[in-house]
Amino acid sequence: METFDILIIGGGPIGLACGIAAKQAGLSHIILEKGCLVNSLYNYPVNMTFFSTSEKLEIGETPFVTTNPKPKRAEALEYYRRVQDKFSLNVRLFEEVLNVEKKEDGQFITKSSKSEYRSRFVIVATGFYDKPNLMNIEGEELSKVRHYYDDPHYYAYQKVVVIGSSNSSVDAALETFRKGAEVTMVIRRDTIGERVKYWVRPDIENRIAEGSIKAYFNSCLLAIRPNEVDIQTPEGRVETIANDFVLALTGYQPDFAFLEKIGIQLSSDDSLIPAHNTDTMETNISGLYLAGVVCGGMNTHLWFIENSRIHADIIMKHIKIKGFATA
Ligand SMILES: Cc1cc2nc3c(=O)[nH]c(=O)nc-3n(C[C@H](O)[C@H](O)[C@H](O)COP(=O)(O)OP(=O)(O)OC[C@H]3O[C@@H](n4cnc5c(N)ncnc54)[C@H](O)[C@@H]3O)c2cc1C
C-alpha cells in the first residue's frame, strides 16, 4: 500500500495550496481529486468573472497575471494548471475518495475508487459544488431543469425561468437575456441579493425596471411541467406561465453524508458546520483536518479562495507542532 505523510482529498485551489504547503514543509503528500484539476472551477459558467482580483486567488506565492483586475474562469484554469506544473504536486485525477478510517495505530487508511493509501494525516478540502440545494417541488427531476449553468447560447429564443437572485442567478439571467432568451426571475425575497457584485447590480435592476427581464419578487416556484411552470405570488395567486427551461441556481452544499461517514461531527443547528478548531483546522478526529470552503457547512458564502488560502499554512503549522514521522 502506498504511504504518505499527508493525504489531501480534493484538487481544488485549497487542496493544491495544502499540497504546496506540505511539499515546502518536507512532507510527502498525495492529492486525490475525483474530477479534473480544479474541478469545481472547470464546471463554473464559461464566461464567469471572479469577484476577486487575481492576486487574491494566488497560491504558493505564484503571481497570477491578468490584463483585467478580475480574472475569468479560463484564466483561472490556466493559472492553477501553471501552479501544478511549477510545484509538480502528487495529484491523482479522476480518483474519488470513498472512505477514510483511522486505525488503532493512529494511521489513516483512505479508500478511493482506484486504490487504498496509508497516511499519518488527512486533509478534507472537498468544497461544496457537487451537491445542489434542491427545491423539492413537482417536476424538478425534468431534464429541462438545470442546477448548473454553463453557456448562454443554448437558451437563445427560449422561455427561461431563473430561480433566485444570487450572483449566479443574476449572471445567468443577464447573459441568457442578451442571447435572446425570454427571461423570468422568481425570487423569494423582495430584492436582488445583497452579495450581488456591485458592478452588476445596476444592470439587473435596470433590466427589471424597464421590463426586459420579468421578475416575481416574494414568490416561489410551485411546480414545473414540460411546457409551463406555476409560480406562487405574494398576492396568494398561482400564476402559470409558458416555459422551456428552468435554471434553478439555488446554491450548493458540501457532501455532508461523506463528512459524517468518515466520522466528522456536524453542528446540530441548520448550518451543519463540520466540527473543527478554527485555530488549527483539526476536526473532532485527531490528525484529520478541514480546509477551504467545506468548513462553512451550509454557510457556503463564509469561505472562499481569497480567505481560505491560509488554511494550508495553519494546518501545516499544527502538524509540525504535533510532530510527525515520515512513515
Ligand atoms: C460562480 C462562482 C464564483 C466564485 N467566485 C469567487 C471569487 O471571485 N473569489 C473567491 O475567492 N471565491 C470565489 N468562489 C468560491 C470559490 O470558487 C470556492 O470557494 C473555491 O473553489 C473553494 O476552493 P476549495 O478548494 O475549498 O473547493 P473546490 O474548488 O470546490 O474544490 C473541491 C474539490 O474536491 C473535489 N472532491 C469533492 N469530493 C471529493 C471526493 N470524495 N474525492 C475526491 N475529490 C473530491 C471536487 O471535485 C473539487 O475539485 C466562487 C464560486 C462560484 C460558484
Side-chain angles (χ1 to χ4, degrees), residues 257-289:
F258 174 76
L259 297 176
E260 285 194 300
K261 183 175 169 188
I262 67 175
I264 299 176
Q265 291 159 0
L266 306 178
S267 69
S268 54
D269 57 10
D270 290 348
S271 64
L272 299 176
I273 293 182
H276 65 284
N277 177 337
T278 49
D279 293 331
T280 64
M281 308 311 291
E282 193 169 38
T283 65
N284 53 292
I285 299 171
S286 172
L288 179 63
Y289 294 84

PDB file of all heavy atoms in Angstrom, residues 257-289:
ATOM      1  N   ALA A 257     -23.038  13.706   3.887  1.00  0.00           N
ATOM      2  CA  ALA A 257     -23.055  12.255   4.126  1.00  0.00           C
ATOM      3  C   ALA A 257     -21.618  11.728   4.155  1.00  0.00           C
ATOM      4  O   ALA A 257     -21.263  10.893   5.001  1.00  0.00           O
ATOM      5  CB  ALA A 257     -23.860  11.562   3.036  1.00  0.00           C
ATOM      6  N   PHE A 258     -20.777  12.255   3.254  1.00  0.00           N
ATOM      7  CA  PHE A 258     -19.373  11.819   3.217  1.00  0.00           C
ATOM      8  C   PHE A 258     -18.658  12.243   4.509  1.00  0.00           C
ATOM      9  O   PHE A 258     -17.930  11.453   5.124  1.00  0.00           O
ATOM     10  CB  PHE A 258     -18.676  12.414   1.988  1.00  0.00           C
ATOM     11  CG  PHE A 258     -17.205  12.136   1.941  1.00  0.00           C
ATOM     12  CD1 PHE A 258     -16.732  10.880   1.580  1.00  0.00           C
ATOM     13  CD2 PHE A 258     -16.278  13.123   2.273  1.00  0.00           C
ATOM     14  CE1 PHE A 258     -15.363  10.614   1.547  1.00  0.00           C
ATOM     15  CE2 PHE A 258     -14.919  12.869   2.242  1.00  0.00           C
ATOM     16  CZ  PHE A 258     -14.464  11.610   1.879  1.00  0.00           C
ATOM     17  N   LEU A 259     -18.886  13.502   4.920  1.00  0.00           N
ATOM     18  CA  LEU A 259     -18.210  14.001   6.127  1.00  0.00           C
ATOM     19  C   LEU A 259     -18.591  13.139   7.340  1.00  0.00           C
ATOM     20  O   LEU A 259     -17.737  12.765   8.148  1.00  0.00           O
ATOM     21  CB  LEU A 259     -18.579  15.464   6.378  1.00  0.00           C
ATOM     22  CG  LEU A 259     -18.135  16.462   5.293  1.00  0.00           C
ATOM     23  CD1 LEU A 259     -18.641  17.862   5.601  1.00  0.00           C
ATOM     24  CD2 LEU A 259     -16.613  16.485   5.151  1.00  0.00           C
ATOM     25  N   GLU A 260     -19.880  12.820   7.450  1.00  0.00           N
ATOM     26  CA  GLU A 260     -20.339  12.000   8.587  1.00  0.00           C
ATOM     27  C   GLU A 260     -19.791  10.578   8.498  1.00  0.00           C
ATOM     28  O   GLU A 260     -19.406   9.994   9.504  1.00  0.00           O
ATOM     29  CB  GLU A 260     -21.867  11.980   8.629  1.00  0.00           C
ATOM     30  CG  GLU A 260     -22.415  13.304   9.145  1.00  0.00           C
ATOM     31  CD  GLU A 260     -23.881  13.222   9.520  1.00  0.00           C
ATOM     32  OE1 GLU A 260     -24.681  12.901   8.625  1.00  0.00           O
ATOM     33  OE2 GLU A 260     -24.201  13.479  10.699  1.00  0.00           O
ATOM     34  N   LYS A 261     -19.750  10.078   7.272  1.00  0.00           N
ATOM     35  CA  LYS A 261     -19.258   8.707   7.075  1.00  0.00           C
ATOM     36  C   LYS A 261     -17.817   8.556   7.580  1.00  0.00           C
ATOM     37  O   LYS A 261     -17.440   7.528   8.138  1.00  0.00           O
ATOM     38  CB  LYS A 261     -19.319   8.375   5.587  1.00  0.00           C
ATOM     39  CG  LYS A 261     -18.909   6.981   5.203  1.00  0.00           C
ATOM     40  CD  LYS A 261     -19.155   6.815   3.709  1.00  0.00           C
ATOM     41  CE  LYS A 261     -18.546   5.581   3.154  1.00  0.00           C
ATOM     42  NZ  LYS A 261     -18.647   5.554   1.686  1.00  0.00           N
ATOM     43  N   ILE A 262     -17.023   9.619   7.398  1.00  0.00           N
ATOM     44  CA  ILE A 262     -15.619   9.491   7.826  1.00  0.00           C
ATOM     45  C   ILE A 262     -15.435   9.952   9.274  1.00  0.00           C
ATOM     46  O   ILE A 262     -14.313  10.065   9.749  1.00  0.00           O
ATOM     47  CB  ILE A 262     -14.652  10.217   6.848  1.00  0.00           C
ATOM     48  CG1 ILE A 262     -14.834  11.737   6.875  1.00  0.00           C
ATOM     49  CG2 ILE A 262     -14.822   9.693   5.432  1.00  0.00           C
ATOM     50  CD1 ILE A 262     -13.807  12.469   6.005  1.00  0.00           C
ATOM     51  N   GLY A 263     -16.573  10.235   9.950  1.00  0.00           N
ATOM     52  CA  GLY A 263     -16.533  10.460  11.400  1.00  0.00           C
ATOM     53  C   GLY A 263     -16.529  11.905  11.846  1.00  0.00           C
ATOM     54  O   GLY A 263     -16.383  12.185  13.039  1.00  0.00           O
ATOM     55  N   ILE A 264     -16.681  12.855  10.920  1.00  0.00           N
ATOM     56  CA  ILE A 264     -16.661  14.266  11.321  1.00  0.00           C
ATOM     57  C   ILE A 264     -18.056  14.655  11.815  1.00  0.00           C
ATOM     58  O   ILE A 264     -19.059  14.407  11.139  1.00  0.00           O
ATOM     59  CB  ILE A 264     -16.234  15.169  10.137  1.00  0.00           C
ATOM     60  CG1 ILE A 264     -14.823  14.786   9.683  1.00  0.00           C
ATOM     61  CG2 ILE A 264     -16.304  16.640  10.526  1.00  0.00           C
ATOM     62  CD1 ILE A 264     -14.328  15.536   8.466  1.00  0.00           C
ATOM     63  N   GLN A 265     -18.095  15.251  13.021  1.00  0.00           N
ATOM     64  CA  GLN A 265     -19.392  15.652  13.576  1.00  0.00           C
ATOM     65  C   GLN A 265     -19.861  16.948  12.934  1.00  0.00           C
ATOM     66  O   GLN A 265     -19.037  17.813  12.588  1.00  0.00           O
ATOM     67  CB  GLN A 265     -19.267  15.854  15.088  1.00  0.00           C
ATOM     68  CG  GLN A 265     -19.051  14.548  15.830  1.00  0.00           C
ATOM     69  CD  GLN A 265     -18.438  14.745  17.212  1.00  0.00           C
ATOM     70  OE1 GLN A 265     -18.169  15.868  17.639  1.00  0.00           O
ATOM     71  NE2 GLN A 265     -18.196  13.628  17.877  1.00  0.00           N
ATOM     72  N   LEU A 266     -21.185  17.083  12.799  1.00  0.00           N
ATOM     73  CA  LEU A 266     -21.760  18.311  12.240  1.00  0.00           C
ATOM     74  C   LEU A 266     -22.497  19.040  13.348  1.00  0.00           C
ATOM     75  O   LEU A 266     -23.074  18.399  14.241  1.00  0.00           O
ATOM     76  CB  LEU A 266     -22.737  17.966  11.110  1.00  0.00           C
ATOM     77  CG  LEU A 266     -22.194  17.082   9.981  1.00  0.00           C
ATOM     78  CD1 LEU A 266     -23.296  16.778   8.966  1.00  0.00           C
ATOM     79  CD2 LEU A 266     -21.022  17.773   9.279  1.00  0.00           C
ATOM     80  N   SER A 267     -22.526  20.385  13.288  1.00  0.00           N
ATOM     81  CA  SER A 267     -23.238  21.141  14.323  1.00  0.00           C
ATOM     82  C   SER A 267     -24.723  20.802  14.240  1.00  0.00           C
ATOM     83  O   SER A 267     -25.242  20.466  13.177  1.00  0.00           O
ATOM     84  CB  SER A 267     -23.008  22.645  14.156  1.00  0.00           C
ATOM     85  OG  SER A 267     -23.653  23.094  12.982  1.00  0.00           O
ATOM     86  N   SER A 268     -25.403  20.921  15.390  1.00  0.00           N
ATOM     87  CA  SER A 268     -26.800  20.455  15.442  1.00  0.00           C
ATOM     88  C   SER A 268     -27.765  21.502  14.880  1.00  0.00           C
ATOM     89  O   SER A 268     -28.935  21.221  14.689  1.00  0.00           O
ATOM     90  CB  SER A 268     -27.175  20.103  16.877  1.00  0.00           C
ATOM     91  OG  SER A 268     -26.885  21.215  17.685  1.00  0.00           O
ATOM     92  N   ASP A 269     -27.280  22.727  14.611  1.00  0.00           N
ATOM     93  CA  ASP A 269     -28.182  23.742  14.056  1.00  0.00           C
ATOM     94  C   ASP A 269     -28.231  23.621  12.520  1.00  0.00           C
ATOM     95  O   ASP A 269     -27.614  22.734  11.935  1.00  0.00           O
ATOM     96  CB  ASP A 269     -27.750  25.160  14.485  1.00  0.00           C
ATOM     97  CG  ASP A 269     -26.324  25.459  14.074  1.00  0.00           C
ATOM     98  OD1 ASP A 269     -25.743  24.660  13.301  1.00  0.00           O
ATOM     99  OD2 ASP A 269     -25.772  26.486  14.501  1.00  0.00           O
ATOM    100  N   ASP A 270     -28.968  24.532  11.889  1.00  0.00           N
ATOM    101  CA  ASP A 270     -29.173  24.440  10.439  1.00  0.00           C
ATOM    102  C   ASP A 270     -27.882  24.601   9.634  1.00  0.00           C
ATOM    103  O   ASP A 270     -27.816  24.212   8.476  1.00  0.00           O
ATOM    104  CB  ASP A 270     -30.151  25.535   9.963  1.00  0.00           C
ATOM    105  CG  ASP A 270     -31.551  25.252  10.451  1.00  0.00           C
ATOM    106  OD1 ASP A 270     -31.778  24.127  10.930  1.00  0.00           O
ATOM    107  OD2 ASP A 270     -32.398  26.166  10.372  1.00  0.00           O
ATOM    108  N   SER A 271     -26.867  25.213  10.253  1.00  0.00           N
ATOM    109  CA  SER A 271     -25.634  25.483   9.483  1.00  0.00           C
ATOM    110  C   SER A 271     -24.826  24.209   9.224  1.00  0.00           C
ATOM    111  O   SER A 271     -24.013  24.177   8.295  1.00  0.00           O
ATOM    112  CB  SER A 271     -24.769  26.518  10.191  1.00  0.00           C
ATOM    113  OG  SER A 271     -24.344  25.991  11.414  1.00  0.00           O
ATOM    114  N   LEU A 272     -25.022  23.174  10.036  1.00  0.00           N
ATOM    115  CA  LEU A 272     -24.326  21.884   9.860  1.00  0.00           C
ATOM    116  C   LEU A 272     -22.818  22.077   9.681  1.00  0.00           C
ATOM    117  O   LEU A 272     -22.185  21.437   8.826  1.00  0.00           O
ATOM    118  CB  LEU A 272     -24.893  21.133   8.637  1.00  0.00           C
ATOM    119  CG  LEU A 272     -26.378  20.758   8.689  1.00  0.00           C
ATOM    120  CD1 LEU A 272     -26.813  20.114   7.365  1.00  0.00           C
ATOM    121  CD2 LEU A 272     -26.665  19.813   9.842  1.00  0.00           C
ATOM    122  N   ILE A 273     -22.254  22.962  10.485  1.00  0.00           N
ATOM    123  CA  ILE A 273     -20.807  23.221  10.347  1.00  0.00           C
ATOM    124  C   ILE A 273     -20.028  22.001  10.836  1.00  0.00           C
ATOM    125  O   ILE A 273     -20.270  21.513  11.942  1.00  0.00           O
ATOM    126  CB  ILE A 273     -20.418  24.497  11.122  1.00  0.00           C
ATOM    127  CG1 ILE A 273     -21.076  25.683  10.437  1.00  0.00           C
ATOM    128  CG2 ILE A 273     -18.902  24.668  11.221  1.00  0.00           C
ATOM    129  CD1 ILE A 273     -20.790  27.028  11.003  1.00  0.00           C
ATOM    130  N   PRO A 274     -19.115  21.488   9.997  1.00  0.00           N
ATOM    131  CA  PRO A 274     -18.331  20.337  10.437  1.00  0.00           C
ATOM    132  C   PRO A 274     -17.384  20.743  11.573  1.00  0.00           C
ATOM    133  O   PRO A 274     -16.739  21.799  11.492  1.00  0.00           O
ATOM    134  CB  PRO A 274     -17.540  19.927   9.189  1.00  0.00           C
ATOM    135  CG  PRO A 274     -17.900  20.890   8.107  1.00  0.00           C
ATOM    136  CD  PRO A 274     -18.807  21.938   8.641  1.00  0.00           C
ATOM    137  N   ALA A 275     -17.339  19.906  12.615  1.00  0.00           N
ATOM    138  CA  ALA A 275     -16.553  20.245  13.811  1.00  0.00           C
ATOM    139  C   ALA A 275     -15.096  20.474  13.431  1.00  0.00           C
ATOM    140  O   ALA A 275     -14.480  19.635  12.777  1.00  0.00           O
ATOM    141  CB  ALA A 275     -16.653  19.110  14.819  1.00  0.00           C
ATOM    142  N   HIS A 276     -14.564  21.633  13.821  1.00  0.00           N
ATOM    143  CA  HIS A 276     -13.128  21.867  13.655  1.00  0.00           C
ATOM    144  C   HIS A 276     -12.702  23.020  14.542  1.00  0.00           C
ATOM    145  O   HIS A 276     -13.484  23.907  14.846  1.00  0.00           O
ATOM    146  CB  HIS A 276     -12.762  22.153  12.190  1.00  0.00           C
ATOM    147  CG  HIS A 276     -13.348  23.424  11.645  1.00  0.00           C
ATOM    148  ND1 HIS A 276     -14.659  23.550  11.291  1.00  0.00           N
ATOM    149  CD2 HIS A 276     -12.778  24.633  11.404  1.00  0.00           C
ATOM    150  CE1 HIS A 276     -14.889  24.780  10.837  1.00  0.00           C
ATOM    151  NE2 HIS A 276     -13.763  25.450  10.897  1.00  0.00           N
ATOM    152  N   ASN A 277     -11.448  22.959  14.955  1.00  0.00           N
ATOM    153  CA  ASN A 277     -10.856  24.006  15.777  1.00  0.00           C
ATOM    154  C   ASN A 277     -10.348  25.094  14.814  1.00  0.00           C
ATOM    155  O   ASN A 277      -9.479  24.812  13.985  1.00  0.00           O
ATOM    156  CB  ASN A 277      -9.709  23.384  16.582  1.00  0.00           C
ATOM    157  CG  ASN A 277      -8.978  24.395  17.427  1.00  0.00           C
ATOM    158  OD1 ASN A 277      -9.008  25.589  17.151  1.00  0.00           O
ATOM    159  ND2 ASN A 277      -8.310  23.896  18.447  1.00  0.00           N
ATOM    160  N   THR A 278     -10.895  26.292  14.918  1.00  0.00           N
ATOM    161  CA  THR A 278     -10.542  27.310  13.924  1.00  0.00           C
ATOM    162  C   THR A 278      -9.076  27.767  14.054  1.00  0.00           C
ATOM    163  O   THR A 278      -8.539  28.372  13.138  1.00  0.00           O
ATOM    164  CB  THR A 278     -11.472  28.534  14.030  1.00  0.00           C
ATOM    165  OG1 THR A 278     -11.537  28.927  15.396  1.00  0.00           O
ATOM    166  CG2 THR A 278     -12.858  28.232  13.514  1.00  0.00           C
ATOM    167  N   ASP A 279      -8.425  27.453  15.183  1.00  0.00           N
ATOM    168  CA  ASP A 279      -7.008  27.835  15.327  1.00  0.00           C
ATOM    169  C   ASP A 279      -6.089  26.845  14.624  1.00  0.00           C
ATOM    170  O   ASP A 279      -4.942  27.162  14.306  1.00  0.00           O
ATOM    171  CB  ASP A 279      -6.610  27.877  16.816  1.00  0.00           C
ATOM    172  CG  ASP A 279      -7.333  29.001  17.525  1.00  0.00           C
ATOM    173  OD1 ASP A 279      -7.657  30.005  16.856  1.00  0.00           O
ATOM    174  OD2 ASP A 279      -7.602  28.860  18.733  1.00  0.00           O
ATOM    175  N   THR A 280      -6.583  25.600  14.427  1.00  0.00           N
ATOM    176  CA  THR A 280      -5.702  24.565  13.870  1.00  0.00           C
ATOM    177  C   THR A 280      -6.298  23.884  12.640  1.00  0.00           C
ATOM    178  O   THR A 280      -5.587  23.193  11.916  1.00  0.00           O
ATOM    179  CB  THR A 280      -5.461  23.454  14.917  1.00  0.00           C
ATOM    180  OG1 THR A 280      -6.715  22.816  15.193  1.00  0.00           O
ATOM    181  CG2 THR A 280      -4.876  24.016  16.200  1.00  0.00           C
ATOM    182  N   MET A 281      -7.600  24.020  12.441  1.00  0.00           N
ATOM    183  CA  MET A 281      -8.383  23.366  11.385  1.00  0.00           C
ATOM    184  C   MET A 281      -8.530  21.860  11.619  1.00  0.00           C
ATOM    185  O   MET A 281      -9.016  21.137  10.747  1.00  0.00           O
ATOM    186  CB  MET A 281      -7.799  23.609   9.970  1.00  0.00           C
ATOM    187  CG  MET A 281      -7.544  25.056   9.616  1.00  0.00           C
ATOM    188  SD  MET A 281      -8.936  26.148   9.966  1.00  0.00           S
ATOM    189  CE  MET A 281     -10.130  25.631   8.761  1.00  0.00           C
ATOM    190  N   GLU A 282      -8.125  21.378  12.819  1.00  0.00           N
ATOM    191  CA  GLU A 282      -8.279  19.950  13.111  1.00  0.00           C
ATOM    192  C   GLU A 282      -9.730  19.655  13.472  1.00  0.00           C
ATOM    193  O   GLU A 282     -10.376  20.438  14.174  1.00  0.00           O
ATOM    194  CB  GLU A 282      -7.349  19.547  14.267  1.00  0.00           C
ATOM    195  CG  GLU A 282      -7.233  18.041  14.412  1.00  0.00           C
ATOM    196  CD  GLU A 282      -6.115  17.648  15.380  1.00  0.00           C
ATOM    197  OE1 GLU A 282      -5.944  18.345  16.401  1.00  0.00           O
ATOM    198  OE2 GLU A 282      -5.415  16.653  15.122  1.00  0.00           O
ATOM    199  N   THR A 283     -10.242  18.538  12.986  1.00  0.00           N
ATOM    200  CA  THR A 283     -11.635  18.158  13.278  1.00  0.00           C
ATOM    201  C   THR A 283     -11.707  17.461  14.632  1.00  0.00           C
ATOM    202  O   THR A 283     -10.706  17.397  15.368  1.00  0.00           O
ATOM    203  CB  THR A 283     -12.179  17.195  12.210  1.00  0.00           C
ATOM    204  OG1 THR A 283     -11.432  15.971  12.299  1.00  0.00           O
ATOM    205  CG2 THR A 283     -12.049  17.774  10.811  1.00  0.00           C
ATOM    206  N   ASN A 284     -12.864  16.868  14.914  1.00  0.00           N
ATOM    207  CA  ASN A 284     -13.013  16.084  16.145  1.00  0.00           C
ATOM    208  C   ASN A 284     -12.155  14.824  16.122  1.00  0.00           C
ATOM    209  O   ASN A 284     -12.001  14.149  17.136  1.00  0.00           O
ATOM    210  CB  ASN A 284     -14.490  15.720  16.381  1.00  0.00           C
ATOM    211  CG  ASN A 284     -15.122  15.053  15.171  1.00  0.00           C
ATOM    212  OD1 ASN A 284     -15.310  15.667  14.142  1.00  0.00           O
ATOM    213  ND2 ASN A 284     -15.433  13.775  15.298  1.00  0.00           N
ATOM    214  N   ILE A 285     -11.568  14.500  14.980  1.00  0.00           N
ATOM    215  CA  ILE A 285     -10.670  13.337  14.899  1.00  0.00           C
ATOM    216  C   ILE A 285      -9.234  13.850  14.791  1.00  0.00           C
ATOM    217  O   ILE A 285      -8.903  14.578  13.844  1.00  0.00           O
ATOM    218  CB  ILE A 285     -11.024  12.469  13.675  1.00  0.00           C
ATOM    219  CG1 ILE A 285     -12.459  11.953  13.815  1.00  0.00           C
ATOM    220  CG2 ILE A 285     -10.035  11.320  13.502  1.00  0.00           C
ATOM    221  CD1 ILE A 285     -12.987  11.279  12.577  1.00  0.00           C
ATOM    222  N   SER A 286      -8.402  13.482  15.744  1.00  0.00           N
ATOM    223  CA  SER A 286      -7.016  13.961  15.752  1.00  0.00           C
ATOM    224  C   SER A 286      -6.295  13.543  14.460  1.00  0.00           C
ATOM    225  O   SER A 286      -6.371  12.387  14.044  1.00  0.00           O
ATOM    226  CB  SER A 286      -6.325  13.366  16.985  1.00  0.00           C
ATOM    227  OG  SER A 286      -4.961  13.644  16.936  1.00  0.00           O
ATOM    228  N   GLY A 287      -5.653  14.509  13.823  1.00  0.00           N
ATOM    229  CA  GLY A 287      -4.912  14.217  12.589  1.00  0.00           C
ATOM    230  C   GLY A 287      -5.739  14.369  11.317  1.00  0.00           C
ATOM    231  O   GLY A 287      -5.199  14.259  10.217  1.00  0.00           O
ATOM    232  N   LEU A 288      -7.043  14.612  11.477  1.00  0.00           N
ATOM    233  CA  LEU A 288      -7.924  14.803  10.310  1.00  0.00           C
ATOM    234  C   LEU A 288      -8.335  16.274  10.269  1.00  0.00           C
ATOM    235  O   LEU A 288      -8.917  16.782  11.240  1.00  0.00           O
ATOM    236  CB  LEU A 288      -9.152  13.895  10.434  1.00  0.00           C
ATOM    237  CG  LEU A 288     -10.207  13.943   9.337  1.00  0.00           C
ATOM    238  CD1 LEU A 288      -9.642  13.498   7.997  1.00  0.00           C
ATOM    239  CD2 LEU A 288     -11.384  13.040   9.692  1.00  0.00           C
ATOM    240  N   TYR A 289      -8.017  16.937   9.174  1.00  0.00           N
ATOM    241  CA  TYR A 289      -8.199  18.399   9.083  1.00  0.00           C
ATOM    242  C   TYR A 289      -9.218  18.761   8.002  1.00  0.00           C
ATOM    243  O   TYR A 289      -9.459  17.986   7.073  1.00  0.00           O
ATOM    244  CB  TYR A 289      -6.868  19.062   8.731  1.00  0.00           C
ATOM    245  CG  TYR A 289      -5.822  18.924   9.804  1.00  0.00           C
ATOM    246  CD1 TYR A 289      -5.034  17.773   9.876  1.00  0.00           C
ATOM    247  CD2 TYR A 289      -5.632  19.917  10.755  1.00  0.00           C
ATOM    248  CE1 TYR A 289      -4.079  17.623  10.868  1.00  0.00           C
ATOM    249  CE2 TYR A 289      -4.674  19.777  11.757  1.00  0.00           C
ATOM    250  CZ  TYR A 289      -3.907  18.628  11.799  1.00  0.00           C
ATOM    251  OH  TYR A 289      -2.966  18.492  12.800  1.00  0.00           O
TER     252      TYR A 289
END
